[in-house]
Amino acid sequence: MSDLLLPPEHRYAKLIEQSRNEDGSEFSILNLGPTHPATHGIFQNILLMDGERIIEAEPTIGYIHRAFEKIAENRPFYQINVLTDRMNYCSSPINNMAWWMTVEKLLNIEVPKRAQYLRVIVMELARITDHLICNSILGVDTGAYTGFLYVFQLREKVYEIYEEICGARLTTNMGRIGGFEREWSEEAFKKLNIFLEEFPIAWKEFENLFERNRIFIDRTVNVGGITAEKAMAYGFTGPNLRAAGIDYDVRKAAPYSSYEDFEFDVPVGKSGDTYDRFCVRNAEVWESISIIKQALAKLPEGPIHADVPDYYLPPKEDVYTNMESLIYHFKIVMGEVPVPVDEIYHAVEGGNGELGFYLTSDGSRTPYRLKFRRPCYVYYQAYPEMIKGAMLSDAIVILSSLNVIAGELDA
Amino acid sequence: MSETKTNMVAPPEGVVGEGFFATKLNDVVGMARANSLWPLPFATSCCGIEFMATMASHYDLARFGSERVSFSPRQADMLMVMGTISKKMAPILRQVYEQMSEPRWVIAVGACASSGGVFDTYSVLQGIDKVIPVDVYVPGCPPRPEQIVDGVMRLQELVRNESVRRRNSPEYKELLASYNL
Amino acid sequence: MALETAFIQEKLSQTFGNNVFNFEMKRDIFTFEATSDTIHEVIRFLKEQEDLNFHFLTDLTGIHFPDNDDSHQFAVVYQLHNWIKNMRIRVKTYLPENPELETITDLFLCSNWMEREAWDFFGINFKGHPQLKRILNMDEMVSHPMRKEFPMEDSGRTDKDDRFFGRISING
């Protein structure tokens, strides 16, 4: 049996035996364990260290494996939306909308323009919140707690907007097949406009705290760099890939939900180190603000959902008074709706990269196989290589700048 | 001094005299413990983000005495388990609980920690009370920060009224024995 | 100029003959099948050929078909992407019971964990993989949970009454 199949601590123990120095000093094993203040989520890294330097690392994941794919094989489409929330829980509306777009692709449903623009608004809001958390926690890991407290206050404002739209703060379970469940209230638009006025000022202050801060630059520049070729080989997508220099963005490559109507740039870094990742995320927040403003300015009138009574839950007043709506409601909730036999792959630009859903349907009420292409899972493989030769505190900073979210990693 | 709107913790019942205040040891110790609970945030998934919102400035858990979050079990009073615990993680949770020193309390935050939540699968532990004793359950998916604060306040009630001798009593030892601790 | 699907099909058929078949356009992604012993060479061809240049592995997944005939029990699906020409392609290969396949970790570094996940969930053995061990499930687990016969719920649970869920009770 190859050594690589042993648990990492046993393999490292063997290595330590073999390479003991003459003066008795030797390498050591450090368990950057599943519960650790600096790992955002539970994943473990067993490190082989020479003093403070890391020689080798092996990650162990699966500590929050909730078997989403197995659950999805037993649930009709509306109930799978609940699972997608809990994957990248920092930006759940993006996952929700991605799932609805996959189902609409399977069922060949055309979503009206107004619903598409509203989806864009909510997805960009979610992207802003995801980058807010990532960058402020990166600040906390380098010792700056203020940015985190400041930025979380803004996240509360976004939570209030989500509450106006769908009723929940974090795991939003937003949307329906074909659009949204209800028209956005006046209050939602008012809060959104207030947010768009206040947020840029606050974000500029947050950026000023870090971008020319001597200590932050010392901690993050030339730390955890990765070349563009390596990034592509390791399956990087999203801000981590763009920091390495490649401008692949699913919103530009395969526009979905009317993204082609908006003008925005894709910020790209140079060396792929931690500072570049931080700056790329900052720049993406500015681009998201601009997209939301454009969408609000050009928001067309029209229906909030597609006219597909077979798949769209009818409004409650109709269900209680109209026989036909009651029958449709029952059929949709039970999942007895016509579903074609097909294979669909749909990808969106999630907060961390290309979030894809590979759906194989056999015509029954639940998918036959649903695979979530999770960006974190794919690019976390590069972590051992990125920290080889770095110090332990650099390893922590690299980990937070990669924005690995445990829910998405293990699914 | 200006009039503040802060509610200070009321002193326990007792006999006041010239230069002395007599009360029960239980009450004083209970009051001290209840208002200085240091949490160990065992945040695994989405509830962890709501905990971060609770610790942040809007819902500030620090004003209840939980100013210093301790990630070392030896220095923590209450273990807040937030998020889904899978079977792979259960031994680690147990180890962290065992390393905590008495008196220790456990809050299960969220549906997943209380009972497995939405995830009734082969890999998820259906509630952390299968491996460690729990004092307060906070339901919700995820619970609002106000609910988490309410859970901490209920725990404060429990702590305030707990007898000083409880941790050495045979009932408590029996409780730990039922979990094989 | 975009890659034409007819061009891809022709190049593949010229090189691999009968080992690649079932070319079709599944919605917006061009899909074809390859036999399990040539899959490694097919993927290398797709990656290294200059005019094809599918340099990015988007996804690798396994599927279990217990109802199919014996030689089509498992499927491994590769999705590749060419960013420059903006073209996606899907390659499928079917495997019998006790599935074994050659690894593509020498071509794509990111397939390392994807193949480990397929091993963990389905038991598909990737020959030549440097570290084929469990990744998401517990190391002590012996069965492969995403196979259709494996139940979703924990069979040892005692606090749920199956009568209320319309199920035959499996634990008494």
Side-chain angles (χ1 to χ4, degrees):
Chain A
M1 183 170 82
S2 141
D3 257 1
L4 282 171
L5 291 176
L6 287 172
E9 48 277 16
H10 296 184
R11 176 160 59 94
Y12 292 156
K14 282 190 184 178
L15 275 172
I16 294 177
E17 274 298 316
Q18 289 163 0
S19 56
R20 193 163 275 145
N21 293 336
E22 284 160 0
D23 57 357
S25 67
E26 56 185 17
F27 298 151
S28 54
I29 302 178
L30 184 70
N31 178 16
L32 200 60
T35 61
H36 191 276
T39 62
H40 314 298
I42 40 180
F43 27 91
Q44 185 185 40
N45 274 294
I46 312 256
L47 309 170
L48 180 68
M49 311 202 53
D50 177 17
E52 185 83 14
R53 293 227 166 248
I54 298 174
I55 304 170
E56 216 180 296
E58 185 168 325
T60 319
I61 63 175
Y63 287 101
I64 195 169
H65 177 57
R66 297 175 277 192
F68 278 5
E69 295 176 8
K70 188 83 184 173
I71 300 177
E73 289 181 5
N74 293 311
R75 300 274 182 265
F77 295 138
Y78 275 102
Q79 298 182 17
I80 296 180
N81 199 32
V82 169
L83 300 177
T84 57
D85 267 341
R86 285 146 177 85
M87 285 205 307
N88 183 348
Y89 34 78
C90 300
S91 55
S92 12
I94 298 184
N95 306 348
N96 290 122
M97 298 302 140
W99 170 241
W100 292 135
M101 284 190 254
T102 311
V103 174
E104 283 150 16
K105 206 168 179 178
L106 175 72
L107 302 172
N108 267 326
I109 295 178
E110 179 75 32
V111 179
K113 268 295 187 188
R114 186 180 171 87
Q116 287 188 2
Y117 276 45
L118 289 177
R119 278 184 175 173
V120 166
I121 293 178
V122 95
M123 283 197 278
E124 293 305 314
L125 266 181
R127 193 186 314 282
I128 291 178
T129 56
D130 201 346
H131 292 335
L132 278 186
I133 291 195
C134 179
N135 279 350
S136 60
I137 297 290
L138 179 58
V140 170
D141 282 342
T142 53
Y145 193 51
T146 312
F148 163 77
L149 285 177
Y150 199 55
V151 143
F152 253 74
Q153 189 59 19
L154 302 166
R155 220 180 122 90
E156 291 290 329
K157 300 277 183 283
V158 180
Y159 282 166
E160 286 181 21
I161 300 176
Y162 288 164
E163 277 184 324
E164 287 292 332
I165 303 172
C166 68
R169 284 164 52 107
L170 185 70
T171 49
T172 48
N173 195 11
M174 212 187 263
R176 295 267 161 87
I177 298 179
F180 279 92
E181 58 265 44
R182 63 183 74 86
E183 172 63 72
W184 289 18
S185 57
E186 279 300 311
E187 193 62 34
F189 285 113
K190 207 162 64 153
K191 285 189 173 163
L192 189 57
N193 285 323
I194 297 176
F195 177 75
L196 286 174
E197 276 170 26
E198 294 180 344
F199 180 66
I201 309 170
W203 192 242
K204 194 85 192 95
E205 283 185 33
F206 176 78
E207 277 190 326
N208 285 340
L209 274 178
F210 288 100
E211 281 195 341
R212 303 221 82 69
N213 185 326
R214 180 80 245 161
I215 301 178
F216 188 72
I217 292 180
D218 275 342
R219 285 300 299 266
T220 55
V221 174
N222 286 331
V223 165
I226 189 162
T227 59
E229 290 79 33
K230 264 277 148 69
M232 212 162 65
Y234 271 114
F236 274 49
T237 44
N240 298 326
L241 176 70
R242 293 196 275 277
I246 304 182
D247 67 340
Y248 171 64
D249 187 331
V250 186
R251 296 174 291 174
K252 291 276 195 197
Y256 49 90
S257 187
S258 302
Y259 264 103
E260 61 269 14
D261 294 350
F262 304 112
E263 279 185 30
F264 59 99
D265 292 323
V266 173
V268 166
K270 262 199 309 230
S271 59
D273 61 9
T274 307
Y275 188 68
D276 274 359
R277 286 193 278 270
F278 179 81
C279 292
V280 161
R281 289 200 167 95
N282 276 349
E284 283 194 5
V285 168
W286 290 113
E287 294 300 323
S288 293
I289 296 175
S290 142
I291 297 178
I292 298 179
K293 286 189 173 145
Q294 289 175 49
L296 275 178
K298 299 199 287 196
L299 191 62
E301 293 299 323
I304 199 77
H305 62 90
D307 185 21
V308 276
D310 271 335
Y311 305 105
Y312 183 84
L313 282 168
K316 268 297 199 261
E317 311 86 60
D318 289 352
V319 171
Y320 287 133
T321 52
N322 190 345
M323 187 60 177
E324 200 179 295
S325 299
L326 179 65
I327 297 176
Y328 273 130
H329 179 96
F330 183 74
K331 279 172 51 171
I332 294 171
V333 168
M334 286 291 132
E336 304 298 331
V337 292
V339 176
V341 177
D342 218 339
E343 277 174 42
I344 299 285
Y345 178 77
H346 184 72
V348 303
E349 180 73 20
N352 284 330
E354 178 176 335
L355 173 68
F357 291 88
Y358 176 55
L359 171 62
T360 306
S361 162
D362 61 348
S364 68
R365 51 196 279 273
T366 63
Y368 188 78
R369 171 89 170 101
L370 176 57
K371 168 86 164 56
F372 301 106
R373 192 260 178 208
R374 315 178 296 278
C376 286
Y377 183 76
V378 179
Y379 66 61
Y380 189 52
Q381 296 174 68
Y383 184 64
E385 198 171 314
M386 285 166 95
I387 60 172
K388 217 178 254 261
M391 309 257 237
L392 181 59
S393 26
D394 290 341
I396 303 291
V397 162
I398 296 171
L399 186 57
S400 358
S401 74
L402 278 182
N403 200 24
V404 184
I405 301 195
E408 200 176 49
L409 186 65
D410 291 343
Chain B
M1 289 289 284
S2 57
E3 284 281 322
T4 61
K5 293 208 187 89
T6 337
N7 280 339
M8 297 298 290
V9 176
E13 290 176 8
V15 179
V16 187
E18 181 89 32
F20 76 95
F21 177 72
T23 177
K24 291 193 285 196
L25 180 66
N26 239 1
D27 288 351
V28 172
V29 170
M31 183 182 95
R33 282 179 179 169
N35 293 302
S36 66
L37 287 166
W38 284 2
L40 197 172
F42 201 92
T44 53
S45 57
C46 349
C47 286
I49 306 290
E50 283 295 58
F51 177 71
M52 281 157 71
T54 314
M55 288 301 286
S57 41
H58 200 103
Y59 293 103
D60 203 10
L61 194 60
R63 53 199 163 117
F64 292 92
S66 310
E67 174 66 45
R68 177 193 184 263
V69 291
S70 155
F71 284 93
S72 161
R74 307 269 186 218
Q75 300 167 6
D77 297 313
M78 66 175 173
L79 175 66
M80 297 179 79
V81 184
M82 295 169 289
T84 323
I85 300 292
S86 66
K87 297 208 177 119
K88 203 168 176 179
M89 192 66 187
I92 295 163
L93 175 64
R94 214 177 137 88
Q95 200 175 11
V96 166
Y97 181 74
E98 284 174 2
Q99 287 176 343
M100 283 171 81
S101 42
E102 298 286 3
R104 55 192 175 185
W105 292 273
V106 178
I107 303 186
V109 175
C112 292
S114 308
S115 68
V118 203
F119 306 107
D120 187 12
T121 70
Y122 60 88
S123 65
V124 169
L125 195 65
Q126 302 293 303
I128 59 171
D129 50 8
K130 301 242 188 285
V131 290
I132 54 178
V134 176
D135 293 295
V136 175
Y137 298 85
V138 181
C141 192
R144 282 189 67 104
E146 288 101 328
Q147 284 173 271
I148 303 181
V149 166
D150 187 42
V152 172
M153 285 171 71
R154 301 272 180 122
L155 187 68
Q156 282 184 326
E157 269 308 304
L158 274 178
V159 173
R160 198 170 291 133
N161 298 326
E162 186 177 295
S163 151
V164 183
R165 299 198 192 103
R166 179 184 174 228
R167 304 283 162 174
N168 296 325
S169 64
E171 292 89 14
Y172 186 65
K173 289 198 176 14
E174 211 181 289
L175 173 68
L176 288 185
S178 70
Y179 282 95
N180 290 327
L181 279 168
Chain C
M1 3 111 247
L3 270 179
E4 296 287 333
T5 57
F7 174 69
I8 304 175
Q9 180 169 353
E10 202 187 298
K11 280 215 88 125
L12 283 165
S13 306
Q14 268 173 5
T15 323
F16 293 101
N18 282 335
N19 284 323
V20 293
F21 47 95
N22 257 350
F23 291 88
E24 59 177 328
M25 199 66 189
K26 278 248 190 231
R27 291 304 175 94
D28 47 348
I29 300 188
F30 189 52
T31 310
F32 68 94
E33 263 179 61
T35 56
S36 55
D37 36 357
T38 55
I39 190 74
H40 183 252
E41 289 312 310
V42 169
I43 300 212
R44 182 203 293 281
F45 186 74
L46 286 170
K47 181 184 178 203
E48 290 175 356
Q49 264 291 319
E50 272 175 29
D51 355 346
L52 296 178
N53 198 17
F54 285 98
H55 56 88
F56 188 72
L57 178 69
T58 304
D59 201 13
L60 194 169
T61 180
I63 316 183
H64 184 211
F65 295 104
D67 301 328
N68 277 2
D69 57 66
D70 286 335
S71 62
H72 284 68
Q73 285 281 304
F74 289 91
V76 177
V77 180
Y78 301 82
Q79 311 218 64
L80 299 155
H81 199 179
N82 177 340
W83 286 341
I84 302 159
K85 297 279 172 61
N86 203 1
M87 175 93 185
R88 289 191 196 265
I89 195 167
R90 189 185 294 149
V91 190
K92 292 163 77 152
T93 173
Y94 284 92
L95 301 162
E97 190 77 34
N98 295 326
E100 285 205 338
L101 198 54
E102 230 181 288
T103 180
I104 59 168
T105 42
D106 48 341
L107 298 170
F108 291 103
L109 284 168
C110 56
S111 62
N112 192 323
W113 279 17
M114 297 186 193
E115 291 181 349
R116 273 177 76 177
E117 192 182 348
W119 158 250
D120 190 0
F121 282 153
F122 293 98
I124 301 177
N125 187 11
F126 289 90
K127 295 182 291 214
H129 192 280
Q131 198 179 25
L132 196 66
K133 60 176 181 171
R134 296 251 174 204
I135 188 167
L136 289 174
N137 287 309
M138 294 171 67
D139 292 329
E140 301 84 45
M141 199 172 205
V142 287
S143 42
H144 297 284
M146 276 294 280
R147 292 193 180 183
K148 294 287 178 185
E149 62 266 13
F150 194 85
M152 181 179 79
E153 287 126 357
D154 180 13
S155 49
R157 77 195 187 298
T158 48
D159 51 350
K160 246 169 117 168
D161 195 339
D162 277 328
R163 293 171 299 166
F164 297 135
F165 294 88
R167 282 193 291 257
I168 315 155
S169 179
I170 42 174
N171 48 349

